[in-house]
Amino acid sequence: MVVFVLASVGNSGMTAPILLDPRLHTPMYFLLSQLSLMDLLYISSTVPKMVSNFLSGQKSISFLGCGVQSFFFLTMAGSEGLILASMAYDRFMAICYPLHYPIRMSKVTCVKMILGSWTLGSINSLAHTVYALHLPYSRSRAINHFFCDVPAMVPLACVSTIVFLLLPFLGITASYGWVLFAVFHMHSKEGRRKACTTCFTHLTVVTFCYTPFVYMYLRPRILHSPAEDKSLAVFYTILTPMLNPIVYSLRNKEVLGAMGRVCGMFSSRKKGAWLFLLLFFSAE
């Protein structure tokens, strides 16, 4: 619950300043706000039910609840991979083709990327969930996991999951391959340092997201146990959503500045409200 609260506060604290501060209304930060929103929904789809089961001692979930949980979890997982690929493309255009950046990464293009990520993630999730729930469960209905993960219910679903995760990863790899090539040929040390700082932050988040998935899904199932799968799932379903906003906020002065300005704005409004109430009751 502590991790859940930290993740919720951290991702809300990333999303709100980006939406409220006009200085952060750029493609890079709009995509970052969507990543934070996905992380917030991602951890909310599993942890509350897991904690409820733990505290009540009832390790059960309804058939409909299992489907809803599976749908939202898979939607966030798939959409997040596509958003990370979009963020990699954004950095690729900004560093390798800076003169074309305002045209290639316009607000319309950014909105299309965001809508495409949510839509494709939802379609992929719906297909997996419907397929899993329509299978005849004539034997045990026990799932050896702490949430309704489709691969735990349908081992064959891992094949399509690998494809959906692998394509964005290949896009990220290709984008950063060109970025590293461009950075290597930069003559300005300041420009090289700024480009490396921006890319390192994003690559850190990509590593957090993809390492557990690669370790789980690209190995043959005979080489890992359900207990090991659950341990890895704790990392990418609970810890990663908490770590992502920390990585981005600590290494980004613009985000920290926006957080300070938004907090100051709400603080001044709160003081104004208290002053208004004080004057109102004094007049009474």
Side-chain angles (χ1 to χ4, degrees):
M1 281 302 296
V2 172
V3 174
F4 176 73
V5 171
L6 291 176
S8 300
V9 172
N11 286 292
S12 300
M14 287 289 291
T15 305
I18 292 173
L19 296 179
L20 295 174
D21 194 332
R23 279 171 278 194
L24 298 184
H25 289 180
T26 62
M28 181 178 76
Y29 289 112
F30 274 132
L31 292 172
L32 178 57
S33 70
Q34 293 302 302
L35 179 66
S36 296
L37 178 60
M38 289 173 183
D39 277 336
L40 180 60
L41 297 175
Y42 191 55
I43 193 170
S44 299
S45 66
T46 57
V47 173
K49 179 60 179 175
M50 180 181 69
V51 172
S52 174
N53 286 346
F54 177 78
L55 295 177
S56 65
Q58 299 178 357
K59 300 179 181 180
S60 62
I61 187 170
S62 67
F63 192 74
L64 178 61
C66 185
V68 171
Q69 186 184 66
S70 175
F71 173 76
F72 279 104
F73 172 77
L74 289 176
T75 297
M76 296 308 115
S79 300
E80 188 164 315
L82 294 172
I83 280 290
L84 288 172
S86 300
M87 294 172 72
Y89 177 76
D90 173 76
R91 292 300 85 202
F92 163 72
M93 291 303 306
I95 294 172
C96 298
Y97 299 98
L99 298 179
H100 295 200
Y101 181 78
I103 300 174
R104 295 285 187 89
M105 285 301 298
S106 63
K107 289 185 177 180
V108 175
T109 303
C110 184
V111 170
K112 288 180 179 179
M113 285 182 168
I114 293 171
L115 292 177
S117 298
W118 283 99
T119 302
L120 291 175
S122 300
I123 293 173
N124 173 72
S125 173
L126 183 63
H128 278 81
T129 303
V130 170
Y131 172 70
L133 296 184
H134 275 76
L135 290 175
Y137 293 97
S138 56
R139 299 180 183 177
S140 173
R141 293 193 176 208
I143 301 172
N144 195 359
H145 218 302
F146 60 85
F147 69 100
C148 288
D149 191 15
V150 169
M153 298 185 287
V154 189
L156 292 178
C158 291
V159 177
S160 57
T161 304
I162 289 171
V163 173
F164 199 81
L165 291 173
L166 194 59
L167 290 178
F169 182 73
L170 292 176
I172 294 170
T173 304
S175 296
Y176 277 106
W178 281 105
V179 167
L180 292 175
F181 181 80
V183 170
F184 181 76
H185 288 84
M186 281 183 178
H187 298 291
S188 169
K189 291 184 177 180
E190 180 63 23
R192 187 183 302 175
R193 184 194 64 79
K194 187 175 181 180
C196 287
T197 301
T198 304
C199 295
F200 178 78
T201 302
H202 184 230
L203 285 173
T204 303
V205 173
V206 171
T207 302
F208 285 156
C209 291
Y210 271 96
T211 300
F213 281 116
V214 170
Y215 188 77
M216 177 181 293
Y217 290 108
L218 294 186
R219 290 193 309 155
R221 296 197 65 83
I222 59 173
L223 297 182
H224 51 102
S225 63
E228 190 177 14
D229 289 347
K230 284 184 281 188
S231 299
L232 287 171
V234 169
F235 186 85
Y236 66 76
T237 60
I238 301 175
L239 296 181
T240 298
M242 181 192 70
L243 294 173
N244 285 351
I246 295 175
V247 171
Y248 269 107
S249 61
L250 289 179
R251 298 188 61 85
N252 196 311
K253 294 180 180 179
E254 293 180 349
V255 172
L256 289 175
M259 287 180 178
R261 288 190 293 272
V262 170
C263 290
M265 180 179 65
F266 280 110
S267 178
S268 61
R269 288 182 179 179
K270 188 175 180 181
K271 290 179 180 178
W274 278 110
L275 181 60
F276 173 79
L277 290 174
L278 181 63
L279 293 174
F280 177 78
F281 285 111
S282 297
E284 291 291 330

